[in-house]
Amino acid sequence: MGEPRLPEGVLLRSLIVLVLVFSSCETGTAVAGGPRSTPVAPPLSLIDQALADLSSEDQSKQDAAVQRLSEQGDPSLLLKLEAIRDNADRSVRLAIKPLMDLLKNRAHLSSADVDQRRSAAADLGSAGKAVAVPWLEAALATESHRWVRYAIEESIALIRLASNDPADKIKAAAKLGELRSQNAVPALKDLVQQGGDSGATEQQKSVASAARAAIEQIDIWASWASAFETIFRGISLSSILLIMSLGLAIVFGLMGVINMAHGELMMVGAYATFVTQECFKAYLPQGAFDYYFLASMPVSFLVAAICGLILEATVIRFLYGRPLETMLATWGVSLVLIQAARVYFGDLTSVVAPSWLSGGAQVMVGVYLPYNRIFIIGLSILCVAGIYFLLFRTGVGVRVRAVTQNRDMSSCLGIPTRKVDAYTFAFGSGLAGLAGCALTLIGNVEPGLGQNYIVDSFMVVVTGGVGKLMGTIVASLGIGGLNKLLEPSFGAVYGKVLILVLVVLFLQRRPSGLFTIKGRHAES
């Protein structure tokens, strides 16, 4: 007998089954009914590997990861970095923070907010990362705002100043000198010092020479910028003095009254502003708070004017023609007002400037003009224009000027001189209150506020010429400007003493002041 043979169909089916089994083993799949194998994980990308290495205990891996992610510079990584930071220990958080700041600043370069773009550019320059130069150059190509462009150019030059290439350092130093960058002075001084060492190379000496030239440019410009800012601060101080002195000049010129409580009327206006602010906080919606200062200006004027009207009716009216008694009485009133404010309000309160008066405008490199001081200057101009219109373009002004020049004749012509005295004193007091309202924008409110300005105000009045509007304007500008010019060299106290000496010497030569007065006081 021969050997038994399998049918051809059975043999073919067996071969197919074997092929399927082997192929399923190679591909990691299982035949029906068999166990399923574990899938093989794909390899990590370089970015994912770097993110994983941030949590590594190996410092070199961590540093390499930070470097790789910095070079990538993708702001979309911030969410992943925040997730890693939230679940990491302190060392990992410290390593991640500079990287996150770098990526945030890159994202902010394209912000719609000008201040945010400028701040981001400045922060990138301070960080000194060379990887940020292409980002800054790309932002510079599309930036249109003047001071954001300045910040970007300054940051690029600051980063390149730390380059290893001497040629790049020389170009960066020259650029920083052109930009008059105060932020670059420390780094430039370091380069000058390196070039002055005994072992310095010719390249280091060339870099030091370029840095020295840049520092000279920056210093010259800084002196001009400082002078400009000093003049501006002097004008803003003069503006407050002017508003306060205008009321004092009108009262002194009309009534011959030396009101030592005029500074306290200024303090009353400042506290009226504070109370208005607190009322807006307590009783009005939050969105209305920014308008409190507009409401506080008429409120401070009216409150101080009412106080002045009461003071004139109860004290000053009975002391006309007796300047020494008037001065002593009003000085006593000033002490009462100071103590009352201290008891009711305490020693120190503050007024928050509204948002539209916060910040400032940069007009030149190193010259920043705060909005609150610009507002004070504008307010003083409006006050001068309003007083000029009142005195020289209205019937009330005619009566005031008539009483100032000749009281007896004015009374004979039917002008109620007593009423003119009262209303004029109230108006002058209201101007002092308005000056106090303006002063809250640049200083705190405290009971002795007016004492700091009453002496300067009297000096303005007597130097300019009693009762003369133009003399008050010129004298306030001169004394306010001298205050700011002398303070850096002599200090606030000795500066005021020196100004007082100069005023006394001036009055010895010209007792009537800058502008000669006319009227009954001149004739008496």
Side-chain angles (χ1 to χ4, degrees):
M1 285 182 67
E3 294 181 354
R5 297 176 60 185
L6 291 174
E8 291 182 2
V10 175
L11 181 60
L12 181 60
R13 284 196 297 271
S14 300
L15 289 173
I16 291 173
V17 170
L18 289 172
V19 170
L20 290 174
V21 170
F22 281 109
S23 63
S24 65
C25 291
E26 291 175 358
T27 58
T29 59
V31 293
R36 181 169 297 175
S37 62
T38 304
V40 178
L44 293 175
S45 68
L46 292 176
I47 297 302
D48 292 335
Q49 183 64 53
L51 290 170
D53 288 344
L54 287 175
S55 302
S56 173
E57 295 182 358
D58 187 345
Q59 187 64 40
S60 61
K61 282 188 176 182
Q62 195 178 76
D63 294 341
V66 170
Q67 180 64 27
R68 189 178 302 121
L69 293 172
S70 299
E71 292 172 355
Q72 178 67 19
D74 186 359
S76 64
L77 296 174
L78 283 170
L79 293 176
K80 296 180 180 179
L81 290 171
E82 287 175 358
I84 293 172
R85 181 192 60 186
D86 293 340
N87 299 311
D89 58 18
R90 183 173 180 273
S91 63
V92 175
R93 289 198 298 270
L94 290 175
I96 290 176
K97 186 180 183 306
L99 174 61
M100 294 185 66
D101 291 342
L102 193 70
L103 297 181
K104 285 179 182 178
N105 286 324
R106 184 184 183 183
H108 290 163
L109 285 176
S110 56
S111 171
D113 186 356
V114 171
D115 292 334
Q116 199 169 51
R117 296 200 305 273
R118 186 177 180 182
S119 176
D123 289 344
L124 288 172
S126 300
K129 298 288 186 181
V131 70
V133 171
W135 310 342
L136 292 166
E137 289 175 340
L140 183 63
T142 58
E143 183 58 59
S144 59
H145 192 275
R146 175 188 177 187
W147 295 112
V148 179
R149 289 184 63 85
Y150 176 88
I152 293 174
E153 291 177 349
E154 182 186 45
S155 295
I156 292 173
L158 283 171
I159 294 172
R160 287 178 172 165
L161 194 65
S163 169
N164 293 324
D165 186 354
D168 284 347
K169 288 186 176 182
I170 292 173
K171 290 179 181 178
K175 183 64 176 178
L176 291 168
E178 292 175 7
L179 294 173
R180 276 72 173 175
S181 170
Q182 283 290 331
N183 295 327
V185 171
L188 291 170
K189 287 183 177 180
D190 289 341
L191 294 177
V192 171
Q193 185 176 2
Q194 292 172 13
D197 293 341
S198 58
T201 64
E202 289 299 324
Q203 291 179 333
Q204 287 178 323
K205 291 179 180 178
S206 299
V207 172
S209 177
R212 194 177 297 108
I215 291 173
E216 289 177 2
Q217 284 182 288
I218 294 169
D219 287 345
I220 292 172
W221 180 258
S223 62
W224 284 105
S226 177
F228 187 89
E229 285 194 330
T230 300
I231 293 171
F232 176 76
R233 288 195 300 270
I235 293 174
S236 65
L237 173 62
S238 300
S239 300
I240 295 175
L241 272 178
L242 176 59
I243 298 173
M244 187 173 178
S245 302
L246 284 171
L248 194 62
I250 292 171
V251 171
F252 198 8
L254 175 68
M255 305 162 65
V257 172
I258 302 175
N259 179 18
M260 296 300 294
H262 198 73
E264 279 54 57
L265 294 171
M266 180 184 188
M267 178 262 291
V268 166
Y271 276 113
T273 304
F274 172 74
V275 172
T276 305
Q277 169 193 267
E278 297 303 303
C279 290
F280 267 66
K281 284 182 181 178
Y283 303 112
L284 292 178
Q286 186 175 2
F289 179 77
D290 271 349
Y291 301 99
Y292 88 87
F293 196 80
L294 295 177
S296 69
M297 287 191 290
V299 168
S300 60
F301 181 90
L302 290 174
V303 171
I306 291 171
C307 290
L309 198 62
I310 295 172
L311 177 62
E312 194 276 337
T314 57
V315 177
I316 293 175
R317 178 169 297 181
F318 305 102
L319 298 174
Y320 284 130
R322 292 183 285 175
L324 181 59
E325 288 88 340
T326 304
M327 184 173 65
L328 292 175
T330 54
W331 181 54
V333 171
S334 72
L335 296 178
V336 172
L337 291 175
I338 290 172
Q339 190 59 33
R342 182 171 285 114
V343 170
Y344 189 78
F345 293 102
D347 286 330
L348 189 67
T349 53
S350 62
V351 173
V352 179
S355 61
W356 51 278
L357 287 178
S358 301
Q362 186 166 2
V363 294
M364 293 185 294
V365 177
V367 178
Y368 186 82
L369 305 184
Y371 290 137
N372 55 0
R373 291 184 180 272
I374 295 175
F375 178 82
I376 290 171
I377 294 172
L379 180 62
S380 68
I381 294 172
L382 288 176
C383 287
V384 170
I387 292 172
Y388 177 82
F389 179 81
L390 179 67
L391 291 179
F392 297 98
R393 294 292 184 270
T394 65
V396 173
V398 171
R399 295 185 182 91
V400 170
R401 287 187 289 123
V403 174
T404 301
Q405 293 176 9
N406 195 317
R407 176 181 292 271
D408 294 335
M409 182 60 70
S410 300
S411 180
C412 292
L413 293 173
I415 296 176
T417 56
R418 288 298 186 190
K419 284 186 178 181
V420 171
D421 287 340
Y423 295 153
T424 304
F425 193 89
F427 181 73
S429 302
L431 287 175
L434 189 59
C437 176
L439 190 63
T440 60
L441 293 175
I442 58 175
N444 292 319
V445 182
E446 48 96 12
L449 177 71
Q451 297 294 313
N452 300 326
Y453 290 89
I454 185 64
V455 175
D456 287 346
S457 298
F458 271 111
M459 285 196 296
V460 167
V461 172
V462 298
T463 303
V466 178
K468 302 300 292 185
L469 182 61
M470 183 54 67
T472 304
I473 296 171
V474 174
S476 63
L477 288 172
I479 291 176
L482 277 176
N483 262 314
K484 289 302 178 182
L485 287 173
L486 296 177
E487 273 184 12
S489 302
F490 297 94
V493 176
Y494 289 110
K496 285 185 181 295
V497 171
L498 183 56
I499 290 173
L500 180 59
V501 171
L502 293 175
V503 169
V504 171
L505 293 175
F506 172 78
L507 292 177
Q508 291 293 318
R509 295 292 303 274
R510 197 177 179 87
S512 298
L514 291 170
F515 294 84
T516 305
I517 60 173
K518 296 178 181 180
R520 61 188 177 90
H521 299 303
E523 295 164 0
S524 60

